[in-house]
Amino acid sequence: MKKLIVILMVLFVVSCKRSEKKPSATEIKKELIITEVAIPSYIAWGNQRANLEEVPSDNTKGEVFRISRNTIAASSFAHTQDISINFESTYRVSVSVKATELNSFFGLRIVGGYPDRADAIFDLKEGTLIGVKIARDFRNPDATIEAMGDGWYKCSLTAEPYSESIKILFGPTAAGKAILGWEGLVDKKNDIFILPSSLTLEEIKL
Protein backbone atom coordinates (compact mmCIF):
# COMPACT_ATOMS: atom_id res chain seq x y z
CA MET A 1 0.00 0.00 0.00
CA LYS A 2 2.82 2.40 0.94
CA LYS A 3 4.58 1.61 -2.36
CA LEU A 4 1.41 2.41 -4.29
CA ILE A 5 1.07 5.79 -2.52
CA VAL A 6 4.70 6.64 -3.27
CA ILE A 7 4.25 5.75 -6.94
CA LEU A 8 1.11 7.89 -7.19
CA MET A 9 2.92 10.86 -5.60
CA VAL A 10 5.82 10.56 -8.04
CA LEU A 11 3.46 10.45 -11.01
CA PHE A 12 1.62 13.51 -9.69
CA VAL A 13 4.85 15.53 -9.34
CA VAL A 14 6.03 14.56 -12.85
CA SER A 15 2.66 15.52 -14.29
CA CYS A 16 2.79 18.94 -12.62
CA LYS A 17 6.26 19.64 -13.96
CA ARG A 18 5.25 18.76 -17.50
CA SER A 19 2.23 21.03 -17.32
CA GLU A 20 4.26 24.08 -16.23
CA LYS A 21 4.17 26.79 -18.89
CA LYS A 22 7.57 27.47 -20.42
CA PRO A 23 8.38 31.12 -21.20
CA SER A 24 8.25 32.01 -24.88
CA ALA A 25 11.28 33.35 -26.77
CA THR A 26 9.67 36.79 -26.67
CA GLU A 27 9.22 36.63 -22.90
CA ILE A 28 12.83 35.54 -22.41
CA LYS A 29 14.03 38.36 -24.65
CA LYS A 30 12.09 40.92 -22.64
CA GLU A 31 13.65 39.68 -19.42
CA LEU A 32 17.13 40.26 -20.83
CA ILE A 33 16.57 43.92 -21.66
CA ILE A 34 17.55 46.18 -18.77
CA THR A 35 16.74 49.50 -20.44
CA GLU A 36 16.47 51.15 -23.84
CA VAL A 37 18.88 54.03 -24.24
CA ALA A 38 17.58 57.19 -25.93
CA ILE A 39 19.19 57.95 -29.27
CA PRO A 40 18.84 61.45 -30.76
CA SER A 41 16.89 61.80 -34.02
CA TYR A 42 18.65 61.27 -37.34
CA ILE A 43 18.63 65.05 -37.68
CA ALA A 44 21.54 65.03 -35.21
CA TRP A 45 23.48 62.30 -37.03
CA GLY A 46 26.89 63.17 -38.40
CA ASN A 47 28.65 61.77 -41.43
CA GLN A 48 32.12 61.14 -42.73
CA ARG A 49 32.17 61.59 -46.50
CA ALA A 50 28.63 60.19 -46.81
CA ASN A 51 25.26 61.54 -47.91
CA LEU A 52 21.94 60.91 -46.16
CA GLU A 53 18.82 61.65 -48.19
CA GLU A 54 15.16 60.70 -47.87
CA VAL A 55 13.74 58.61 -50.72
CA PRO A 56 10.12 58.10 -51.81
CA SER A 57 8.63 55.01 -50.17
CA ASP A 58 5.34 53.43 -49.19
CA ASN A 59 6.94 51.79 -46.16
CA THR A 60 4.53 51.95 -43.23
CA LYS A 61 7.20 51.71 -40.54
CA GLY A 62 8.76 55.12 -41.09
CA GLU A 63 10.70 57.35 -43.43
CA VAL A 64 13.25 55.63 -45.64
CA PHE A 65 16.65 57.18 -46.28
CA ARG A 66 19.57 56.33 -48.51
CA ILE A 67 23.12 56.43 -47.13
CA SER A 68 25.57 56.78 -49.99
CA ARG A 69 29.32 57.16 -50.16
CA ASN A 70 30.66 60.26 -51.89
CA THR A 71 34.19 58.88 -52.22
CA ILE A 72 35.86 55.54 -52.90
CA ALA A 73 39.33 56.63 -51.80
CA ALA A 74 38.70 57.18 -48.06
CA SER A 75 36.53 56.05 -45.17
CA SER A 76 32.79 56.79 -45.39
CA PHE A 77 29.95 56.30 -42.88
CA ALA A 78 27.12 57.95 -40.96
CA HIS A 79 27.21 58.12 -37.16
CA THR A 80 25.38 59.17 -34.02
CA GLN A 81 26.82 61.67 -31.59
CA ASP A 82 28.27 60.47 -28.26
CA ILE A 83 25.84 58.42 -26.17
CA SER A 84 26.42 58.03 -22.42
CA ILE A 85 26.37 54.43 -21.15
CA ASN A 86 27.14 52.44 -18.01
CA PHE A 87 30.79 51.41 -17.86
CA GLU A 88 31.43 47.72 -18.70
CA SER A 89 27.74 46.91 -19.24
CA THR A 90 26.58 44.99 -22.31
CA TYR A 91 24.78 46.84 -25.11
CA ARG A 92 22.96 45.85 -28.29
CA VAL A 93 22.40 48.18 -31.22
CA SER A 94 19.82 47.29 -33.87
CA VAL A 95 18.72 48.92 -37.12
CA SER A 96 16.61 47.98 -40.15
CA VAL A 97 18.32 48.23 -43.53
CA LYS A 98 17.75 47.10 -47.11
CA ALA A 99 19.96 46.44 -50.12
CA THR A 100 19.92 48.79 -53.12
CA GLU A 101 20.52 47.98 -56.77
CA LEU A 102 24.15 49.01 -56.28
CA ASN A 103 24.99 47.25 -53.06
CA SER A 104 23.94 44.63 -50.50
CA PHE A 105 26.69 44.89 -47.87
CA PHE A 106 26.16 46.82 -44.65
CA GLY A 107 28.64 47.69 -41.90
CA LEU A 108 27.76 48.41 -38.26
CA ARG A 109 30.06 49.57 -35.45
CA ILE A 110 29.96 50.41 -31.74
CA VAL A 111 32.99 52.54 -30.87
CA GLY A 112 34.27 53.94 -27.59
CA GLY A 113 37.64 55.64 -27.42
CA TYR A 114 39.07 54.63 -30.82
CA PRO A 115 40.37 52.02 -31.57
CA ASP A 116 38.19 50.29 -28.92
CA ARG A 117 35.27 48.99 -30.96
CA ALA A 118 33.06 46.15 -32.20
CA ASP A 119 32.26 45.72 -35.89
CA ALA A 120 29.99 43.54 -38.01
CA ILE A 121 29.31 43.17 -41.72
CA PHE A 122 26.01 41.85 -43.09
CA ASP A 123 24.99 40.62 -46.56
CA LEU A 124 21.48 41.98 -47.19
CA LYS A 125 21.02 39.96 -50.39
CA GLU A 126 21.62 36.61 -48.77
CA GLY A 127 20.37 37.63 -45.32
CA THR A 128 23.57 36.47 -43.65
CA LEU A 129 26.16 37.72 -41.19
CA ILE A 130 29.59 37.98 -42.83
CA GLY A 131 31.41 38.34 -39.52
CA VAL A 132 31.84 40.15 -36.22
CA LYS A 133 35.06 41.25 -34.47
CA ILE A 134 36.31 43.45 -31.66
CA ALA A 135 39.41 45.59 -31.18
CA ARG A 136 41.30 46.45 -28.01
CA ASP A 137 39.24 46.42 -24.81
CA PHE A 138 35.74 45.62 -26.07
CA ARG A 139 34.43 42.19 -25.01
CA ASN A 140 31.76 39.56 -25.75
CA PRO A 141 30.89 40.48 -29.36
CA ASP A 142 27.87 39.00 -31.12
CA ALA A 143 25.77 39.91 -34.16
CA THR A 144 22.51 38.70 -35.72
CA ILE A 145 20.40 39.40 -38.80
CA GLU A 146 16.63 38.90 -38.99
CA ALA A 147 14.38 39.12 -42.06
CA MET A 148 11.61 41.70 -41.63
CA GLY A 149 9.89 41.28 -45.01
CA ASP A 150 10.02 43.11 -48.35
CA GLY A 151 13.82 42.91 -48.44
CA TRP A 152 14.33 44.62 -45.07
CA TYR A 153 16.60 43.13 -42.41
CA LYS A 154 17.09 43.94 -38.75
CA CYS A 155 20.83 43.93 -38.10
CA SER A 156 22.02 43.79 -34.50
CA LEU A 157 25.45 44.10 -32.90
CA THR A 158 26.16 43.33 -29.24
CA ALA A 159 29.29 44.08 -27.20
CA GLU A 160 30.56 45.10 -23.79
CA PRO A 161 32.25 48.47 -24.32
CA TYR A 162 35.15 49.50 -22.12
CA SER A 163 33.90 53.07 -22.06
CA GLU A 164 31.40 55.48 -20.49
CA SER A 165 30.23 56.73 -23.88
CA ILE A 166 29.94 55.32 -27.39
CA LYS A 167 29.07 56.26 -30.94
CA ILE A 168 27.23 54.08 -33.42
CA LEU A 169 28.64 54.02 -36.95
CA PHE A 170 26.90 52.50 -39.97
CA GLY A 171 26.93 52.58 -43.73
CA PRO A 172 27.39 50.70 -47.00
CA THR A 173 30.47 48.59 -47.50
CA ALA A 174 31.66 46.06 -50.07
CA ALA A 175 32.36 42.37 -50.53
CA GLY A 176 35.72 41.23 -49.23
CA LYS A 177 36.25 44.11 -46.80
CA ALA A 178 37.96 43.37 -43.48
CA ILE A 179 35.42 43.31 -40.64
CA LEU A 180 37.28 45.95 -38.62
CA GLY A 181 37.78 48.14 -41.68
CA TRP A 182 34.42 47.99 -43.49
CA GLU A 183 34.23 51.80 -43.72
CA GLY A 184 37.49 52.08 -45.66
CA LEU A 185 38.18 52.61 -49.35
CA VAL A 186 36.22 50.61 -51.94
CA ASP A 187 36.38 49.93 -55.70
CA LYS A 188 33.19 51.83 -56.52
CA LYS A 189 30.63 54.07 -54.85
CA ASN A 190 27.76 52.29 -53.14
CA ASP A 191 24.76 52.91 -50.93
CA ILE A 192 22.17 51.32 -48.64
CA PHE A 193 18.58 51.97 -47.55
CA ILE A 194 17.93 52.60 -43.84
CA LEU A 195 14.96 53.23 -41.53
CA PRO A 196 16.32 55.89 -39.14
CA SER A 197 13.43 55.40 -36.70
CA SER A 198 14.44 51.74 -36.26
CA LEU A 199 17.84 52.53 -34.73
CA THR A 200 17.79 51.36 -31.10
CA LEU A 201 20.32 50.88 -28.32
CA GLU A 202 19.56 48.54 -25.41
CA GLU A 203 21.46 47.70 -22.26
CA ILE A 204 21.04 43.97 -21.79
CA LYS A 205 21.98 41.19 -19.41
CA LEU A 206 23.38 38.05 -21.02
Side-chain angles (χ1 to χ4, degrees), residues 55-73:
V55 297
S57 173
D58 56 2
N59 191 295
T60 60
K61 296 182 179 179
E63 299 168 311
V64 176
F65 280 71
R66 183 197 307 270
I67 301 176
S68 56
R69 300 181 63 112
N70 58 31
T71 180
I72 64 172

Side-chain angles (χ1 to χ4, degrees), residues 12-31:
F12 176 75
V13 170
V14 171
S15 176
C16 288
K17 288 185 176 181
R18 286 180 176 176
S19 64
E20 289 178 354
K21 181 183 177 183
K22 295 183 178 180
S24 67
T26 302
E27 290 171 336
I28 293 173
K29 183 178 179 181
K30 286 182 178 178
E31 290 176 358

Side-chain angles (χ1 to χ4, degrees), residues 51-91:
N51 298 318
L52 181 68
E53 60 178 349
E54 186 175 0
V55 297
S57 173
D58 56 2
N59 191 295
T60 60
K61 296 182 179 179
E63 299 168 311
V64 176
F65 280 71
R66 183 197 307 270
I67 301 176
S68 56
R69 300 181 63 112
N70 58 31
T71 180
I72 64 172
S75 60
S76 175
F77 53 86
H79 64 84
T80 66
Q81 303 304 322
D82 285 327
I83 303 169
S84 296
I85 61 170
N86 293 320
F87 186 71
E88 291 191 297
S89 291
T90 301
Y91 287 86

Side-chain angles (χ1 to χ4, degrees), residues 47-164:
N47 72 83
Q48 181 79 8
R49 291 179 285 273
N51 298 318
L52 181 68
E53 60 178 349
E54 186 175 0
V55 297
S57 173
D58 56 2
N59 191 295
T60 60
K61 296 182 179 179
E63 299 168 311
V64 176
F65 280 71
R66 183 197 307 270
I67 301 176
S68 56
R69 300 181 63 112
N70 58 31
T71 180
I72 64 172
S75 60
S76 175
F77 53 86
H79 64 84
T80 66
Q81 303 304 322
D82 285 327
I83 303 169
S84 296
I85 61 170
N86 293 320
F87 186 71
E88 291 191 297
S89 291
T90 301
Y91 287 86
R92 176 174 59 211
V93 58
S94 301
V95 66
S96 293
V97 287
K98 182 178 180 178
T100 66
E101 293 182 358
L102 294 177
N103 178 61
S104 64
F105 295 95
F106 174 68
L108 185 59
R109 171 178 294 169
I110 303 172
V111 60
Y114 192 86
D116 290 349
R117 66 193 190 276
D119 285 276
I121 295 178
F122 306 86
D123 184 340
L124 305 180
K125 180 180 180 180
E126 300 297 330
T128 56
L129 170 68
I130 300 299
V132 57
K133 286 189 176 182
I134 53 173
R136 290 283 294 270
D137 295 324
F138 271 42
R139 293 180 289 188
N140 301 321
D142 189 25
T144 60
I145 183 170
E146 176 185 356
M148 305 300 287
D150 195 30
W152 288 93
Y153 288 91
K154 179 181 180 180
C155 297
S156 300
L157 174 61
T158 301
E160 183 182 314
Y162 192 76
S163 178
E164 293 182 342

